[in-house]
Amino acid sequence: MGYDVLLIRYGELALKGKNRSDFEDRLLRNIRNKLKDFPDVKVKKTYGRMLVELNGQAYPPVVERLQEVFGVVGVSPAKRVPTELQALQQAAVALIREQPTQPATFKIAAKRSIKSFPHKSMELNHLIGGYVLKNVDGIKVDVHQPEITVHVEVRAEAAYVYGDDIPGPGGLPVGASGRVALLLSGGIDSPVAGYLALKRGAELQAIHFHSYPFTSERAKQKVIDLAQILTRYGGKIRLHVVPFTEIQTQIRQKCEESYSVTVMRRMMFRIAERIAHKEKALALVTGENLGQVASQTLESMYTINHVIRMPVLRPVVGMDKQEIMNIAKRIGTYETSILPYEDCCTVFLPKSPKTRPDLNATERTESNLDVERLVQEAVDATEVLDLSPDKREEEFTFF
């Protein structure tokens, strides 16, 4: 069966009440942008659905792109047929016959959205199901666990016949929930946190702290590559690369060693909040995971958070490492994250970092720094890189 159209389902958006059309319009723009490399493909919105008109384009690469668009719950390649019973029956038989392996059982799931069609949904199930039984050898009806469900939708403009859904990523359309600033390291957790923020509809900007020459240009390139991978899911991403060498050097020279990680994270948060304000982002996002390292105990999070007023979102805080790694592998960031290039968080690590830092003690040792000057100089010297999915990456080798 040649497919004419892809039916897109977007579940959660249907619950948005009066804001529903805003979410749908955002999803429509995101889908069109994602499919702009297919000039013949057209996307349009109908009530409760979006339709991707293939116009001769093979559907697998289009579906592959749609599986990276948040807000898409499922995609069904469908055959458009006239709103006539005989056409629906013949399309149902053709769909079953063209399966790679002929199913032993099936059911029909029909629904009509126009009352003028002469057969009600239940009646359609019987009429099409009976036709399939007569014309496909050996097949049986199983309404509980069929090997294939033949969906039939009768709408005003046409009728559609299709098989089971191809799952999409779900979530909300990117841009529907405002803008956030992700603290992006070269590790496994923060790219996953960024991905999950995108999944809830946030538009992403990324902030990376770079301590050259303590960290190498390859380490910086690794972070650029991670942000580039995230553009597949979030569209354009602005990456801010903050020079952090002077701050880390000052912390090492002037602060108590066991508090150096806590002070370093407080400086990062101050800088990130300032950049976020500048870029009109309303929250910070981190890859922090409760109890994973010294700076991720509740006491550490409390002491570090104390220097900013902006909300901090921690999408992976309740996951274990294996869960985070599984997501990283699925979204394509894992292999880049495990490349052996250091980031600034591993520079000057103390032998015994405070896992339960005291706020007053932290502020005492931090008072040895000229905090305002260091923060502002870092913000002013920040390098900005604009990344987009269609940007041609320059060839780069890590070896």
Side-chain angles (χ1 to χ4, degrees):
M1 174 181 284
Y3 295 112
D4 310 299
V5 66
L6 302 177
L7 299 183
I8 296 176
R9 255 171 294 283
Y10 44 82
E12 188 177 351
L13 301 193
L15 305 176
K16 294 301 179 184
K18 293 180 180 178
N19 296 321
R20 172 176 172 161
S21 63
D22 293 337
F23 283 85
E24 289 177 337
D25 290 344
R26 173 72 68 169
L27 179 60
L28 184 64
R29 289 198 297 273
N30 291 351
I31 290 174
R32 283 175 172 162
N33 192 48
K34 192 71 175 179
L35 300 181
K36 64 184 180 183
D37 293 339
F38 302 102
D40 296 329
V41 169
K42 306 297 178 190
V43 187
K44 66 181 182 180
K45 182 175 73 171
T46 65
Y47 186 78
R49 290 277 187 276
M50 285 190 192
L51 302 179
V52 178
E53 306 271 2
L54 291 169
N55 295 317
Q57 168 68 46
Y59 78 89
V62 180
V63 171
E64 190 175 329
R65 294 282 184 93
L66 291 172
Q67 287 180 304
E68 296 176 346
V69 179
F70 288 123
V72 173
V73 171
V75 182
S76 298
K79 180 71 177 176
R80 181 192 286 115
V81 298
T83 53
E84 299 168 358
L85 177 60
Q86 186 178 19
L88 296 172
Q89 291 171 323
Q90 291 172 347
V93 169
L95 177 69
I96 291 173
R97 284 178 174 167
E98 293 179 12
Q99 296 303 304
T101 302
Q102 182 174 312
T105 58
F106 79 105
K107 78 171 184 179
I108 305 294
K111 58 183 178 182
R112 58 169 193 169
S113 61
I114 51 169
K115 300 303 180 187
S116 59
F117 190 72
H119 305 288
K120 295 181 179 179
S121 299
M122 189 59 73
E123 186 182 359
L124 266 179
N125 288 341
H126 294 152
L127 291 170
I128 299 173
Y131 187 85
V132 171
L133 287 171
K134 289 179 183 175
N135 289 278
V136 180
D137 293 338
I139 198 165
K140 296 179 180 177
V141 173
D142 184 341
V143 296
H144 300 293
Q145 291 184 315
E147 291 185 20
I148 184 172
T149 299
V150 178
H151 298 268
V152 176
E153 288 190 23
V154 180
R155 292 174 161 263
E157 74 280 5
Y160 302 93
V161 177
Y162 56 94
D164 294 322
D165 258 357
I166 300 169
L172 297 173
V174 171
S177 301
R179 182 176 294 166
V180 298
L182 168 71
L183 275 68
L184 182 62
S185 73
I188 296 171
D189 299 348
S190 58
V192 171
Y195 170 85
L196 294 175
L198 289 166
K199 185 174 182 179
R200 294 313 300 165
E203 180 186 325
L204 203 68
Q205 297 213 0
I207 301 171
H208 175 66
F209 296 89
H210 184 50
S211 285
Y212 183 82
F214 302 127
T215 58
S216 67
E217 286 300 311
R218 287 180 172 180
K220 175 182 169 183
Q221 183 62 45
K222 174 182 169 182
V223 171
I224 295 172
D225 292 343
L226 287 170
Q228 185 67 49
I229 292 170
L230 290 178
T231 65
R232 285 166 42 191
Y233 308 97
K236 294 178 181 178
I237 291 178
R238 174 164 288 181
L239 173 63
H240 304 262
V241 182
V242 180
F244 207 54
T245 311
E246 173 66 11
I247 290 175
Q248 286 198 281
T249 303
Q250 292 275 316
I251 292 172
R252 187 187 189 194
Q253 293 173 348
K254 298 180 178 179
C255 296
E256 188 178 333
E257 183 186 21
S258 61
Y259 278 88
S260 61
V261 172
T262 307
V263 174
M264 179 188 72
R265 294 290 293 175
R266 283 160 62 96
M267 295 297 281
M268 287 179 170
F269 271 40
R270 288 185 177 102
I271 293 167
E273 185 184 49
R274 204 162 293 191
I275 292 173
H277 280 313
K278 189 176 174 182
E279 297 290 345
K280 296 182 170 41
L282 298 178
L284 302 183
V285 177
T286 76
E288 290 170 305
N289 177 271
L290 188 59
Q292 188 176 108
V293 295
S295 65
Q296 296 176 13
T297 63
L298 278 179
E299 291 84 353
S300 289
M301 290 182 185
Y302 172 80
T303 304
I304 292 166
N305 264 41
H306 209 74
V307 298
I308 63 170
R309 300 186 63 181
M310 183 169 279
V312 180
L313 309 181
R314 298 178 170 90
V316 302
V317 71
M319 295 183 184
D320 62 34
K321 196 67 179 181
Q322 189 59 51
E323 290 174 304
I324 298 171
M325 288 166 59
N326 289 343
I327 296 175
K329 290 174 182 177
R330 178 162 52 81
I331 66 176
T333 56
Y334 180 79
E335 294 300 327
T336 303
S337 289
I338 62 172
L339 290 171
Y341 303 117
E342 72 294 338
D343 65 37
C344 68
C345 293
T346 62
V347 175
F348 306 141
L349 271 181
K351 291 180 182 176
S352 301
K354 286 285 184 185
T355 55
R356 292 179 168 78
D358 176 75
L359 177 59
N360 292 330
T362 304
E363 291 176 341
R364 266 198 310 276
T365 193
E366 192 180 70
S367 66
N368 295 319
L369 302 175
D370 185 349
V371 171
E372 176 55 31
R373 178 185 67 78
L374 290 169
V375 169
Q376 192 55 51
E377 286 181 357
V379 171
D380 291 343
T382 294
E383 179 185 6
V384 176
L385 303 171
D386 286 318
L387 308 173
S388 62
D390 52 1
K391 180 181 177 182
R392 187 184 178 86
E393 291 185 70
E394 294 180 5
E395 188 174 350
F396 182 85
T397 177
F398 290 98
F399 304 100

